[in-house]
Amino acid sequence: MPRVTRHGTEISVPDISNRPLPEALEALAEAGLFVGDSTTHSGTELQQGLVRSQNPRAGAKTKPGRRVHLTIYRGFPEPIPVPDVILASLRDARSDLRRTGLIVPPDELPDTTRSPFPDMVTRTEPPAGELLQKGDTVRIWYGLGLNPNYSVEVPNVAGSQHNAAEQILRQLHLWPSPLGYDKKDNPLISRQSPEPGSFVPQGSTIRLFADSSRVGER
């Protein structure tokens, strides 16, 4: 409760910005004011527990017993994992990245890696899953579609775990397409299509099927 009651008079709201919350509460009580609604705002480690802003502002005239609403620094900015937009269209990739608060420069670059269709994202920098802050930049590379002038022999990745199979296929400019499982589980690949030994254009998709009962290390 405020320690001062001066009904019928006006008082000046004290300046409590950038002051520790206990000290700010003490100053408001001394002035005969209550604390109103409080919200939080992310800040640095040194700002934790400090008052970021107040309403009414410092110096405003008000009646004793009125409420002062505070915004307090709490916590660090939430990191944003880079979305996995590989093989998404350029338009969808831009939208997905910007929706999370990341910046996408308007100068996407064609990649030497072929993609199943033109203008599909082949990689990002930073890669998917890396933690960034809101406002950080993510660059996009895109493929030019299948290369019918260059055929690749499909390797046998059955018996490999997904992560290893993906690495093998990517090195040959082929694209793994997990069907019926989450690649994050890194399961054992049970079969694939097209079959090993087939010849397909560079940039083709290889469909992968997994044994869900055998999940590997992530």
Side-chain angles (χ1 to χ4, degrees):
M1 294 289 292
R3 300 176 184 175
V4 180
T5 303
R6 296 188 288 272
H7 295 291
T9 63
E10 283 191 335
I11 58 175
S12 181
V13 177
D15 184 0
I16 56 175
S17 59
N18 291 313
R19 295 173 70 174
L21 184 58
E23 186 179 314
L25 298 179
E26 182 76 12
L28 291 176
E30 291 287 352
L33 299 170
F34 288 98
V35 176
D37 296 332
S38 296
T39 58
T40 60
H41 191 278
S42 58
T44 66
E45 186 175 1
L46 293 177
Q47 291 174 315
Q48 301 310 292
L50 299 182
V51 175
R52 180 178 185 267
S53 61
Q54 61 185 86
N55 183 26
R57 67 183 185 280
K61 300 298 182 181
T62 190
K63 298 289 186 180
R66 293 294 175 86
R67 296 181 181 274
V68 178
H69 306 289
L70 308 179
T71 299
I72 304 162
Y73 284 113
R74 295 285 190 200
F76 294 96
E78 283 293 326
I80 301 171
V82 176
D84 186 356
V85 295
I86 302 301
L87 294 187
S89 68
L90 278 175
R91 179 178 179 179
D92 288 346
R94 292 189 201 106
S95 177
D96 288 348
L97 291 166
R98 289 169 178 163
R99 192 181 300 117
T100 62
L102 299 172
I103 295 174
V104 183
D107 56 347
E108 295 91 350
L109 302 170
D111 201 345
T112 55
T113 298
R114 290 284 175 162
S115 55
F117 299 98
D119 295 338
M120 296 185 77
V121 175
T122 53
R123 60 188 172 103
T124 60
E125 181 58 42
E130 186 159 326
L131 297 179
L132 301 180
Q133 295 294 334
K134 184 176 181 180
D136 285 346
T137 296
V138 177
R139 290 197 169 273
I140 292 176
W141 280 259
Y142 63 91
L144 301 175
L146 296 177
N147 183 359
N149 298 320
Y150 190 87
S151 294
V152 180
E153 183 176 1
V154 178
N156 184 7
V157 294
S160 301
Q161 289 177 278
H162 175 88
N163 291 348
E166 181 171 344
Q167 184 176 5
I168 292 169
L169 293 171
R170 290 282 184 90
Q171 289 174 345
L172 295 173
H173 293 203
L174 298 174
W175 291 95
S177 176
L179 296 178
Y181 69 91
D182 189 337
K183 66 180 183 180
K184 294 179 181 177
D185 292 333
N186 192 26
L188 195 72
I189 304 303
S190 58
R191 59 188 178 91
Q192 63 185 78
S193 178
E195 294 293 328
S198 306
F199 283 86
V200 296
Q202 189 182 59
S204 295
T205 297
I206 308 300
R207 296 179 294 278
L208 302 178
F209 304 85
D211 182 351
S212 59
S213 66
R214 302 181 66 180
V215 177
E217 296 182 359
R218 301 185 181 187

